[in-house]
Structures are given as C-alpha cells and as structure tokens.
Amino acid sequence: MARPRSRDYDELRRELVDAGGRLLATEGPAALTTRRVAQRAGVSTMAVYQVFGDKGGLVREMFLAGFERLATAFAAVPHTSDPIADLLALGRAYRANALANPHLYELMFGRPIPEFQPDAEAAAQIQPTFDMLIAAVARCVREGAFALAEPADLAIGINALAHGLCSLDLRGALGDATEASRHWDRAFDTMVRGLRAG
C-alpha cells in the first residue's frame, strides 16, 4: 500500500495519532471515526486508511504511540551512581509523559474502546517500558538500597502507585501543579522508606 507523499510519513502518523487521541479523550469512543480524525488532521480519509489500514489499525497505533513516547521519556533519564534517585527519576518521567500526552494515557492503561484488545505483538512491543522499571528496581535491590525482594513484584507495586497518582493528577484531583507534585513526592518518599534495606 502506497504511503501518502504530501507530507512526511512520520509527521502525518503522529498528527493522526494525536488527532485520534484528542477526539477519544474529549468526545468519547463514538467520536473516533476515520472521517473525524482526518478532518482534525487536515487530510483526506484515504490518508488515514493508507497509514493505518482501518480504524482498528489507528487505535492500535494510538496505543503503541503512547508507549513509544513513554519509552523515549524513560530513555532520556540519566544513569547516575544513586539507584534510588534514578528510580525516582523514572517516576517523574512517567508523570511528565502522561501530562504531555493525556489524550493517549487512558488508551494505554484503560479500556475506553472495549473492542480494542492489544494483540501478542503489541504486548511484546510495550513490554520494554516495564522491563526498564524492573531493571531499575533490580539495581536498587542488587546494590543494597532496597531490602531483598523479587524486583518484578516490587515493580508492579511501584507501577500501581505511579498509575494511581497519574490518573488522579490528570483529572485534577491532586490540586494544582505545585500541590500535585507535593503529593507525588510524599507518596514516593513513603514508598522508598518502606522498601529500604535495614
């Protein structure tokens, strides 16, 4: 299938993904049609089909794009000599990515479109983001910053804390930006104290 040539393919893909995500976030699943997405992006409906195949392909790419952006945010976190500081930096990157892409967050972690279920290939593509969290936790355990425990189990709990805070943050339930940051810091400080060795 020929790709659209009127603009850069990656740029068009991103614009369509963002247009779809914003429609879903603001108007709900019923508004997410190829026609509406194309209108939002200023292209023909055919461009949507050329890039994604169909609406299902668009939704799948919206899902994957959210995790691509999260992986990019995680990859930008510097590696220092302090494993706990690095883990907390991943948490901040997770939050920053959610705040930058609120229109994709619910699709990444919820079921706003009941008929969409990530297939095995999509699940494999998003796994590295969680693997990065496990690796950061494993380093905390290995270097003695956290008490001995199974890193994957700890990572699930840490991920749940971050997800819960993010969901509240995106809905404005944590107050303004300053107050929300205070809640995040307090929650993660408490978590770290509970996991520390000794």
Side-chain angles (χ1 to χ4, degrees):
M1 185 177 293
R3 290 179 173 177
R5 296 183 180 181
S6 60
R7 67 178 83 173
D8 178 81
Y9 176 79
D10 291 332
E11 177 189 351
L12 177 58
R13 174 181 177 270
R14 184 180 182 97
E15 289 179 7
L16 291 169
V17 161
D18 285 334
R22 291 189 178 102
L23 272 172
L24 178 62
T26 59
E27 299 183 37
L32 187 63
T33 66
T34 54
R35 181 181 61 81
R36 292 286 308 280
V37 170
Q39 287 175 343
R40 283 280 184 105
V43 298
S44 68
T45 304
M46 183 56 66
V48 181
Y49 290 115
Q50 288 177 323
V51 175
F52 302 113
D54 56 18
K55 177 183 168 181
L58 168 63
V59 173
R60 185 177 187 275
E61 286 302 306
M62 288 162 54
F63 172 80
L64 291 174
F67 282 97
E68 287 173 8
R69 295 176 193 184
L70 179 59
T72 299
F74 278 0
V77 173
H79 186 87
T80 73
S81 60
D82 186 336
I84 291 180
D86 290 356
L87 176 62
L88 294 175
L90 282 181
R92 287 190 293 275
Y94 180 95
R95 180 190 181 205
N97 183 72
L99 293 175
N101 299 283
H103 55 296
L104 300 178
Y105 189 83
E106 183 62 27
L107 183 59
M108 292 167 67
F109 299 109
R111 292 293 300 276
I113 303 176
E115 63 270 24
F116 172 69
Q117 181 66 38
D119 56 26
E121 182 183 357
Q125 285 182 249
I126 69 172
Q127 182 63 36
T129 56
F130 190 62
D131 290 344
M132 291 177 74
L133 174 59
I134 294 175
V137 175
R139 181 179 167 220
C140 290
V141 174
R142 184 175 62 252
E143 296 186 14
F146 284 173
L148 189 62
E150 174 54 49
D153 291 341
L154 295 182
I156 289 172
I158 293 168
N159 187 60
L161 175 62
H163 175 65
L165 287 166
C166 244
S167 296
L168 294 171
D169 201 351
L170 290 174
R171 287 162 176 75
L174 298 183
D176 63 21
T178 300
E179 188 177 0
S181 294
R182 188 166 60 250
H183 286 301
W184 271 82
D185 292 343
R186 184 182 300 118
F188 274 91
D189 286 347
T190 300
M191 176 203 71
V192 166
R193 284 198 302 273
L195 294 176
R196 282 188 184 275

